[in-house]
Amino acid sequence: MRRKAGVGAIQKQKLEQEKYKDKGTEIQENQFEQMTKQMETFRVNLEEFATKHKSDIKKNPRFRREFTEMCASIGVDPLASGKGFWSVLGIGDFYYELAVQIVEVCMATNYKTGGLISLDELRTKLIQARGRKEQHQEITNEDLLAAAKKLRIFGSGFSVVPIGGGKHMVQSVPGELSMDHTAVLQGASTSGNAFVSKPMLCKHLRWEPDRVQKALDHMIKEGLAWLDEQGEDEVLYWFPSLFTACIASTE
């Protein structure tokens, strides 16, 4: 018959467990301290790198993307840093200026697009608006997305709407687009014609007619779509925000 552990054995076991716990805590603290030192070293090296390659970061879009990815890996956001080193370096100035120019282009085209503009068209118009002095500074769709996302501080007035296939649109009017509205935009974009019809969406999205009609009615009401009743076979719904993108895809 096995004898039960005595009080002394229990106390000894408890002391050993506490020692293991203290040792584990010590190891965790050492690891955290080492990690903190490594991150600080990385941050200092990143600042030195940014200072040395400031011109390349601003002019070369690929270099700029890789630099922002390095920043993100250590939790540094040059665009959000308004003080200290990053402010003096001016890395965020490029995106702040770009954001202001995005607002200007959106406001100038709202009467036609209803407050939606494709990223490709936005880039084309923005390059034209920037003029000769800034043409040497190439901008990409990734730059536009980074700058446009900073406009969220204005609330729902500015937002980036993904429509599938790596394509995005910038919304510059108050109001949220539902998943149904985004699906309709995606359907118009993939059709290559900047328009949809009710039967087309019912077939493509496998929706009931009432659901399709509700989404289309809302987009017409908000000025995002134009109603065309002159078609021979069916009523069409045109999206002016996709005109340029669809024309470019057919050239």
Side-chain angles (χ1 to χ4, degrees), residues 99 145-162:
L145 285 175
K149 288 177 181 178
K150 294 302 173 183
L151 295 174
R152 290 174 181 172
I153 60 174
F154 295 114
S156 60
F158 283 90
S159 59
V160 177
V161 182

Side-chain angles (χ1 to χ4, degrees), residues 15-201:
L15 288 173
E16 290 177 351
Q17 289 176 347
E18 289 178 353
K19 288 180 181 179
Y20 286 133
K21 184 178 179 180
D22 292 340
K23 191 63 178 178
T25 301
E26 181 182 347
I27 293 174
Q28 288 181 346
E29 290 177 350
N30 290 337
Q31 289 177 340
F32 180 76
E33 184 178 354
Q34 291 177 3
M35 186 181 299
T36 301
K37 289 180 179 179
Q38 290 175 354
M39 295 299 286
E40 179 62 21
T41 300
F42 191 11
R43 186 187 65 80
V44 172
N45 291 336
L46 188 63
E47 290 180 358
E48 293 177 355
F49 177 86
T51 303
K52 182 178 179 180
H53 299 283
K54 177 180 178 181
S55 178
D56 292 326
I57 292 171
K58 287 190 173 183
K59 293 180 181 180
N60 189 320
R62 181 177 178 181
F63 205 89
R64 187 162 55 246
R65 183 184 69 250
E66 293 175 350
F67 172 75
T68 54
E69 288 175 353
M70 284 194 298
C71 288
S73 68
I74 60 170
V76 173
D77 185 1
L79 279 67
S81 302
K83 298 180 180 180
F85 168 77
W86 298 107
S87 177
V88 174
L89 188 61
I91 296 298
D93 291 348
F94 169 80
Y95 288 101
Y96 286 124
E97 292 171 5
L98 199 57
V100 171
Q101 291 167 346
I102 287 174
V103 173
E104 292 174 348
V105 171
C106 288
M107 294 297 99
T109 57
N110 274 0
Y111 75 96
K112 183 183 75 171
T113 64
L116 270 179
I117 185 171
S118 69
L119 207 62
D120 291 332
E121 182 177 2
L122 176 61
R123 179 174 177 270
T124 299
K125 291 186 177 299
L126 203 144
I127 290 175
Q128 295 172 350
R130 285 166 71 85
R132 295 181 180 178
K133 292 182 179 180
E134 295 176 289
Q135 284 181 357
H136 67 282
Q137 193 174 45
E138 184 180 353
I139 56 173
T140 65
N141 283 2
E142 290 178 342
D143 290 328
L144 293 180
L145 285 175
K149 288 177 181 178
K150 294 302 173 183
L151 295 174
R152 290 174 181 172
I153 60 174
F154 295 114
S156 60
F158 283 90
S159 59
V160 177
V161 182
I163 58 173
K167 297 181 179 180
H168 297 80
M169 305 195 77
V170 176
Q171 182 182 2
S172 56
V173 291
E176 295 289 339
L177 289 181
S178 69
M179 294 296 291
D180 284 6
H181 304 144
T182 303
V184 171
L185 282 171
Q186 183 178 359
S189 175
T190 54
S191 72
N193 297 311
F195 70 78
V196 294
S197 67
K198 188 174 176 181
M200 184 191 303
L201 289 175

